Amino acid sequence: MALDGHMFDSNNVMIDFFPINDDLHKAIFYQKENIYRSFLYLSRLCDYYEDESFDGDELRKLADDLLNYKANVAVVYHRLINELYDKLSNTSIVKVIFYAD
């Protein structure tokens, strides 16, 4: 299972893509402390059986959640988290839909 992030511009054209694979998903969400629950926007991606959509201010808040949460994830995943943060911070991207597999 994974989540596929489809990123759209203001014309609703998909301009980028980012898959959250199983390993990254587990690294973020399957910790015994469940710290992710205190990150409102990031926690919405916990269930990889549900599609989730972010736009406008929510999109930037998801990016902030990722950056602030990164310290709780094994260092081996920091590059992927930084990559997703950079994509979500791109001002050309106005909407992201994470589709469940």
Side-chain angles (χ1 to χ4, degrees):
M1 270 303 157
L3 291 169
D4 294 330
H6 295 247
M7 301 174 182
F8 300 88
D9 67 10
S10 60
N11 295 316
N12 208 32
V13 174
M14 190 176 98
I15 60 171
D16 212 338
F17 175 81
F18 188 90
I20 297 178
N21 65 28
D22 287 339
D23 291 338
L24 179 57
H25 193 270
K26 286 177 187 174
I28 293 171
F29 297 109
Y30 292 96
Q31 299 178 8
K32 59 184 172 188
E33 298 88 12
N34 291 327
I35 298 168
Y36 73 87
R37 290 184 179 166
S38 64
F39 293 82
L40 179 64
Y41 299 93
L42 179 62
S43 66
R44 288 172 44 188
L45 296 176
C46 179
D47 184 356
Y48 52 69
Y49 294 106
E50 296 286 330
D51 296 343
E52 282 293 336
S53 180
F54 300 86
D55 58 11
D57 195 42
E58 287 184 332
L59 185 55
R60 306 306 164 221
K61 289 180 179 180
L62 174 61
D64 290 344
D65 273 3
L66 269 172
L67 191 61
N68 292 324
Y69 187 74
K70 183 172 74 171
N72 298 295
V73 178
V75 173
V76 69
Y77 297 102
H78 286 194
R79 182 188 59 76
L80 290 172
I81 291 172
N82 288 338
E83 184 180 335
L84 180 54
Y85 172 82
D86 290 344
K87 289 176 182 276
L88 295 173
S89 298
N90 179 343
T91 57
S92 297
I93 294 171
V94 300
K95 178 174 69 175
V96 175
I97 303 173
F98 289 92
Y99 292 104
D101 278 353

